Amino acid sequence: MAYHQHHGGEADSYYQQGQGDIAMQNRSGGYQQNHQYQQGPPPQGYQQQPYLSPSLLPPPQQFVQSPPQYGKQPNYGSGDKQDYTQTFKIDKPKLNDLWASILFLATFAGFVAVSGITLYGYSTTKGQQGGGIYGSSTLALNTNTIVLFAFVLVTALLLSLAYFWIIRAFTKQAIWITGILQIVFGIGTAIIYFARHYYSAAIVFIIFSIFYIICFISWIPRIPFSVLMLQVVIDVAKNYGHVFIVSLIGGITATAFGAWFAATLVGVYAKYNPGSPACSEGGGGCSQGKVIGLLVFITFAAYWISEVIKNVIHVTISGVYGSWYFCAQKPGGFPHNATRGAFKRAMTYSFGSISLGSLIVAIIQFLRQACSIARQNEAAQGNIVGTIFFCILGCLISLLEWAVQFINEYAFSYIALYGKAYFPAAKATWHMMKDRGIDALVNECLINPVLTMGAVFVAYVCSFLAYLYITFTKPEYNQNGGYTPVVMAFAFLIGLQICNIFLVPIKSGVATFFVAMAFDPEVLIKDYPDLWNRMIGVYPHVQTMVHA
């Protein structure tokens, strides 16, 4: 059965473009089908055959990757259906990268301990920490900040839900809406900062807005292909597995952890800031060094925990999309309990690999956060040179983060299906995608940068909300403005992480599709000919980029 989905809306104009060219290509032999392709999951030991005549094949590659092993054939006659672990069987299951999972659990336990001590100290002196939005405390972050972060959490949750709904309901429109909102909000924020004589921050926002304008204009020719990929991911999510439920549970989990982190952040200041009434409540004396050290630890731990949550969802959803790609059109059909089986693998055999990949990203994100706080401090002091320096440094760190995130997305999709350790999975995936030409196809797809832009928009709104709140409530602890950059930076962090986790299922679907296509493009050509033809229609180079 071919991939037949009725899309409607403006996206249809993209799907129908080039259909006449497709017919001409098919009649002229540009697209040849090999009718000897074996239907059903390949048995153990199956060797994938070349897809073109020898004269059209690319030069031999040094890297050789075996095709997926789907386990034994199901018993179609009895009506039994394989589950996920049987379909994507691991020959020698083991707990990969175990040391990383142990280190993560130790870090999580440390976060719990710090949170318990600081929140206890805060709760015992809550009456002296301020009584609400306009409560008084000249020492450090207090109940006023708790209320602020509650507003930030609600804003991040609602905006993330709204943005996910826009992505689900629209295709081309969502891409345009994301770009326009990001640019308009950036320029509008810069104008407000200029009006309030916050010139350094205003210049930074103007620079980023100009950068986004240039990027978005250059993206316009690539929108049709991205629209198609987005619609495919949403169609699969609507019909297979529990993608939207996993996204909702993940978003709620991220919001709950964000609330926990915000309370712990305030608790650190309330418990250990010199002169705090909670200094005598146990857990050691107070000092500025302890505050800084604990902030460093809980911020790093928050990044790592958030990344692990996000990547557990990613691996779970990748199992769903991999099951669709390889099995939905086979006689055995979509595997039984695919979502549950993929989640179980993510939390057992692959948890160490998830922890390791998340650790690398968390370190880079922590450095980016430190750079952001330094930039905002320089901006608050009116130091334009320092602001620009940290802005450039932040951009370089962001590029490094992008490169690692790029590798992680595709490596984790491979891990979901084949249960390998982190570094072997990253290496195997990268080489296979290069050999198949899928890396160029990935670069043509705008979904990841567009969704990242959407998450940054939510983070900007949260950060701006924090700025407005702390400006108009005028808490006594911030009379000199010293806490404004810190509060804005953490509001940005909370908004960014929550929205990113909500959007994981969409990113996972795209990443898994490209990984599966890299390992066995013939499945796409044979089992989903309508989708293949649509891809050719919006991006004809796909026939030469994929060596199939």
Side-chain angles (χ1 to χ4, degrees):
M1 180 174 62
Y3 175 88
H4 291 293
Q5 296 286 349
H6 298 284
H7 305 282
E10 295 184 30
D12 267 340
S13 62
Y14 286 137
Y15 298 138
Q16 302 305 324
Q17 288 175 1
Q19 295 302 312
D21 294 337
I22 294 169
M24 291 179 63
Q25 291 166 358
N26 291 343
R27 286 196 298 269
S28 62
Y31 166 51
Q32 298 290 338
Q33 293 199 7
N34 181 357
H35 297 284
Q36 295 181 353
Y37 173 74
Q38 181 179 356
Q39 297 295 326
Q44 299 284 343
Y46 163 82
Q47 295 295 322
Q48 188 171 336
Q49 300 299 318
Y51 306 125
L52 292 177
S53 61
S55 62
L56 297 178
L57 284 173
Q61 304 289 340
Q62 297 298 320
F63 174 79
V64 179
Q65 172 66 42
S66 299
Q69 303 295 322
Y70 307 116
K72 66 180 182 179
Q73 296 281 356
N75 185 356
Y76 303 127
S78 65
D80 293 338
K81 181 182 288 190
Q82 284 182 311
D83 63 17
Y84 181 83
T85 56
Q86 293 172 321
T87 304
F88 296 95
K89 184 179 180 181
I90 303 176
D91 292 333
K92 297 179 180 179
K94 65 176 182 178
L95 300 176
N96 294 311
D97 301 309
L98 182 60
W99 67 269
S101 59
I102 295 174
L103 182 60
F104 170 77
L105 293 175
T107 302
F108 181 78
F111 181 87
V112 172
V114 171
S115 179
I117 294 172
T118 57
L119 290 180
Y120 174 77
Y122 171 76
S123 64
T124 55
T125 59
K126 183 177 182 297
Q128 305 172 55
Q129 302 285 351
I133 294 177
Y134 297 102
S136 62
S137 173
T138 59
L139 295 172
L141 304 186
N142 57 13
T143 306
N144 173 282
T145 319
I146 290 285
V147 176
L148 163 61
F149 283 133
F151 284 139
V152 168
L153 286 165
V154 172
T155 301
L157 177 63
L158 294 179
L159 286 178
S160 298
L161 282 170
Y163 186 62
F164 189 87
W165 177 83
I166 290 173
I167 294 293
R168 184 179 185 275
F170 304 99
T171 51
K172 176 186 175 182
Q173 295 90 340
I175 295 176
W176 284 96
I177 289 171
T178 301
I180 292 171
L181 280 178
Q182 181 79 336
I183 293 168
V184 171
F185 186 82
I187 294 175
T189 305
I191 292 173
I192 292 175
Y193 282 143
F194 271 124
R196 300 190 66 84
H197 308 291
Y198 201 0
Y199 298 117
S200 299
I203 292 173
V204 170
F205 270 88
I206 285 292
I207 292 174
F208 275 108
S209 297
I210 294 172
F211 173 75
Y212 279 126
I213 290 172
I214 296 172
C215 286
F216 196 73
I217 292 174
S218 68
W219 289 349
I220 291 176
R222 297 155 62 185
I223 288 179
F225 177 73
S226 304
V227 168
L228 176 59
M229 291 295 95
L230 182 59
Q231 188 63 62
V232 169
V233 168
I234 295 299
D235 285 343
V236 174
K238 290 178 179 178
N239 294 286
Y240 296 94
H242 304 85
V243 175
F244 296 133
I245 294 177
V246 172
S247 176
L248 179 61
I249 293 174
I252 292 174
T253 303
T255 304
F257 177 72
W260 185 12
F261 169 73
T264 303
L265 172 67
V266 175
V268 167
Y269 278 101
K271 174 68 181 73
Y272 288 106
N273 202 63
S276 170
C279 286
S280 59
E281 295 300 326
C286 297
S287 70
Q288 195 65 29
K290 282 188 177 180
V291 172
I292 294 174
L294 289 174
L295 286 180
V296 168
F297 172 74
I298 66 170
T299 303
F300 169 74
Y303 270 121
W304 197 4
I305 294 168
S306 298
E307 281 297 309
V308 169
I309 293 172
K310 183 181 76 174
N311 290 322
V312 166
I313 297 172
H314 176 34
V315 171
T316 302
I317 298 300
S318 291
V320 173
Y321 281 97
S323 298
W324 163 76
Y325 183 89
F326 288 113
C327 305
Q329 303 301 325
K330 298 298 189 290
F334 191 80
H336 182 63
N337 289 331
T339 307
R340 187 185 306 169
F343 176 74
K344 181 180 178 181
R345 180 172 296 181
M347 295 300 295
T348 52
Y349 302 125
S350 300
F351 189 73
S353 302
I354 291 173
S355 299
L356 176 55
S358 301
L359 172 62
I360 298 173
V361 173
I363 293 173
I364 298 173
Q365 288 179 332
F366 174 77
L367 294 175
R368 180 170 58 93
Q369 178 79 351
C371 185
S372 175
I373 294 175
R375 175 176 60 80
Q376 294 188 47
N377 272 323
E378 295 296 325
Q381 297 171 13
N383 187 347
I384 296 179
V385 175
T387 302
I388 294 176
F389 170 77
F390 283 112
C391 181
I392 295 173
L393 181 60
C395 289
L396 295 176
I397 295 174
S398 296
L399 287 175
L400 177 61
E401 180 187 355
W402 171 85
V404 176
Q405 290 276 30
F406 179 88
I407 295 173
N408 274 3
E409 283 186 9
Y410 299 98
F412 283 139
S413 293
Y414 180 91
I415 288 170
L417 301 178
Y418 310 117
K420 301 296 184 182
Y422 175 74
F423 287 113
K427 182 178 179 181
T429 306
W430 175 250
H431 279 292
M432 179 54 80
M433 293 184 73
K434 290 286 290 183
D435 292 347
R436 289 288 188 196
I438 301 296
D439 58 322
L441 199 62
V442 169
N443 291 333
E444 190 66 22
C445 185
L446 297 174
I447 292 178
N448 270 14
V450 167
L451 295 183
T452 299
M453 187 182 288
V456 170
F457 168 77
V458 173
Y460 276 160
V461 173
C462 292
S463 180
F464 187 61
L465 172 64
Y467 171 76
L468 294 178
Y469 180 95
I470 206 168
T471 298
F472 289 106
T473 61
K474 295 182 174 63
E476 291 188 34
Y477 66 78
N478 195 48
Q479 290 301 311
N480 63 356
Y483 284 99
T484 300
V486 175
V487 172
M488 289 179 63
F490 281 109
F492 182 93
L493 162 64
I494 291 171
L496 181 69
Q497 293 298 81
I498 289 176
C499 190
N500 269 330
I501 290 174
F502 262 105
L503 298 176
V504 163
I506 299 176
K507 295 182 179 182
S508 300
V510 177
T512 308
F513 179 81
F514 285 136
V515 168
M517 188 177 174
F519 278 86
D520 202 344
E522 190 76 353
V523 171
L524 174 63
I525 297 172
K526 299 299 182 180
D527 290 356
Y528 307 95
D530 182 56
L531 174 56
W532 171 250
N533 287 340
R534 286 173 175 170
M535 290 179 67
I536 297 173
V538 296
Y539 190 63
H541 294 296
V542 69
Q543 296 179 99
T544 55
M545 292 167 63
V546 178
H547 304 148

